[in-house]
Amino acid sequence: MRAHLLDGPARRADAAYGAFDASVLARRRGDLRAANELVSEALRAHTPVDTIRDFAGRDRLNMTSLALNLSHYVNGVARAHRDVSEHMFPGHPIGTITNGVHSATWTSEPFRALFDHHLRGWRDDPALLRQALAIAPEPIWRAHTAAKATLLATVATVSGRQLDPDALTIGFARRSTGYKRADLLFRDVERLRALGKGKLQILYAGKAHPHDGDGKQLIRRIVTAGRELGADVPVIYLPNYDVELAKLVVAGVDVWLNTPLRPLEASGTSGMKAAHNGVPSLSVLDGWWIEGCIEGVTGWAIGKPFDPGVDRQTADREDAADLYSKLETTILPLYHGDRGRWISIMQHAIALNASFFNTHRMVQQYVANAYI
Ligand SMILES: *Cc1c(COP(=O)(O)O)cnc(C)c1O
């Protein structure tokens, strides 16, 4: 049933990725035969080119087919990724081990100190983060305020702009590439201005691949929208995105935004990093967030679950409308009007999501389900 539902977009994704796989190798050596010979060479077993064609495809070299056919065990990096992959490559049983992030690395200094004090041993056993529900709200809020201050100080240094520590701060930082739809928030700039004026500010970061024109265009559109919004809703695009900047941004904002086009996000991990710092996600239901979202408890969903009958234009329009309405009627009133409930959501992001979406749990699942 699910496989049938995934038909259209999965086929488009297959075509796109298949073409990419073939082009990388074939461009280097000229043609498919050369690409297959390159694989034969890499396999170091003098595999006949014809055998490679059996594994990797007759009319183009598909690296995913090759890997699937030469692997004893295969898994997706989230349940949704498993479902899409099984549909794209029928006949290959695919397991699922959802990604995680390294807890001690992605937890900011103020929260590390808080967890060290209240949840001794959490660095070696992040399942202990479940107990974040038992930490009092005040020290949680103090830790967050400290992480936010550190971020805003860095923003002031790099951009020369002073953001408001009391405004709801949305963060979006990841590779800039088309399917991630980083500009979805600016579909209706006047709507955003009306709902956010004086109480909302947005931080972006992320580079585009040098050959990714769409990714670069997204950055231009965000910078342009930011100019239009001016001081009403400050928007800053931070340059030179890297892991160090990522650490500051995932910890120092109030809400983590993700707006990929379904069903193209395999997992996503930055929202898991945010959860380690008590930062709830506001995200499209794709990748890991399908497993991590409990509406109003660990964060919020944007739009509906994936429906292959919905085309790109409709998805963009509906998701943007839902994003604005969630911000206006749920998230902004909660942040500015009910600090107690807000902190409870922060605690649930840690207790339900950081405790699970970490590399300790992930590696244990690889050992138990994949490696032995
Ligand atoms: C975690 C991380 C990513 C991945 O972000 P997604 O939201 O999962 O796409 C990308 N870049 C950097 C620097 C990161 O730390």
Side-chain angles (χ1 to χ4, degrees):
M1 206 51 209
R2 172 116 176 125
H4 164 70
L5 292 175
L6 288 166
D7 209 34
R11 217 181 319 105
R12 284 202 296 282
D14 185 11
Y17 287 124
F20 174 77
D21 287 336
S23 72
V24 169
L25 285 172
R27 217 182 307 130
R28 264 191 226 151
R29 288 293 181 90
D31 60 11
L32 181 63
R33 171 150 283 273
N36 284 333
E37 274 161 11
L38 197 60
V39 172
S40 170
E41 215 176 287
L43 291 176
R44 288 172 205 282
H46 306 292
T47 317
V49 166
D50 215 44
T51 307
I52 293 172
R53 292 181 71 189
D54 285 343
F55 288 152
R58 288 269 137 203
D59 37 274
R60 66 175 187 205
L61 190 143
N62 185 316
M63 293 291 280
T64 309
S65 294
L66 183 65
L68 286 168
N69 283 315
L70 295 179
S71 298
H72 175 67
Y73 170 84
V74 175
N75 69 273
V77 294
R79 289 203 304 257
H81 183 222
R82 186 263 318 269
D83 295 345
V84 171
S85 304
E86 274 191 339
H87 180 72
M88 288 170 69
F89 300 94
H92 293 281
I94 299 179
T96 170
I97 298 174
T98 301
N99 278 343
V101 299
H102 189 257
S103 298
T105 299
W106 290 102
T107 302
S108 62
E109 173 48 36
F111 275 97
R112 269 188 259 158
L114 185 71
F115 298 157
D116 283 344
H117 183 70
H118 292 274
L119 314 173
R120 209 159 64 87
W122 70 277
R123 292 171 189 240
D124 296 318
D125 184 5
L128 290 170
L129 293 170
R130 298 163 67 245
Q131 288 289 330
L133 293 183
I135 302 175
E138 295 80 8
I140 300 254
W141 188 249
R142 272 199 302 276
H144 175 63
T145 305
K148 192 171 182 178
T150 303
L151 171 63
L152 296 196
T154 301
V155 170
T157 309
V158 260
S159 74
R161 290 175 72 182
Q162 202 71 51
L163 290 180
D164 177 1
D166 296 323
L168 178 78
T169 306
I170 293 179
F172 186 112
R174 49 181 65 84
R175 282 182 304 125
S176 183
T177 192
Y179 87 87
K180 300 230 185 215
R181 296 193 299 183
D183 61 341
L184 193 75
L185 188 56
F186 304 109
R187 209 182 142 84
D188 184 345
V189 169
E190 292 318 311
R191 176 89 204 272
L192 184 63
R193 193 197 307 275
L195 71 87
K197 189 171 177 176
K199 47 192 177 182
L200 178 67
Q201 57 199 8
I202 306 147
L203 278 177
Y204 275 90
K207 298 169 189 164
H209 185 280
H211 297 309
D212 186 346
D214 288 350
K216 293 184 201 174
Q217 191 57 35
L218 280 176
I219 299 174
R220 281 189 211 102
R221 274 210 288 279
I222 293 164
V223 170
T224 304
R227 289 206 187 102
E228 282 174 47
L229 286 159
D232 291 340
V233 177
V235 177
I236 297 179
Y237 206 110
L238 296 167
N240 302 322
Y241 183 55
D242 62 7
V243 169
E244 288 314 308
L245 184 57
K247 283 182 185 170
L248 292 180
V249 183
V250 296
V253 298
D254 300 302
V255 172
W256 194 249
L257 178 68
N258 198 13
T259 51
L261 181 66
R262 289 160 298 230
L264 299 181
E265 188 69 272
S267 164
T269 53
S270 59
M272 304 173 184
K273 301 168 189 170
H276 276 79
N277 295 282
V279 174
S281 281
L282 167 60
S283 172
V284 160
L285 288 167
D286 204 8
W288 85 281
W289 191 234
I290 298 173
E291 298 162 54
C293 178
I294 300 173
E295 185 70 16
V297 176
T298 58
W300 304 269
I302 300 166
K304 303 191 193 91
F306 174 57
D307 175 355
V310 173
D311 61 26
R312 167 87 198 239
Q313 283 71 29
T314 311
D316 287 355
R317 190 179 64 247
E318 290 182 353
D319 289 347
D322 199 43
L323 173 53
Y324 293 137
S325 112
K326 278 265 157 77
L327 281 174
E328 185 168 39
T329 63
T330 305
I331 297 171
L332 279 160
L334 199 58
Y335 180 81
H336 288 291
D338 192 344
R339 191 52 44 87
R341 261 193 68 206
W342 186 271
I343 296 170
S344 166
I345 291 172
M346 297 179 67
Q347 287 174 294
H348 283 83
I350 300 166
L352 290 175
N353 285 349
S355 71
F356 182 82
F357 296 99
N358 58 68
T359 42
H360 278 69
R361 182 270 314 157
M362 182 189 81
V363 170
Q364 281 168 9
Q365 289 186 330
Y366 273 99
V367 170
N369 305 336
Y371 301 153
I372 57 175

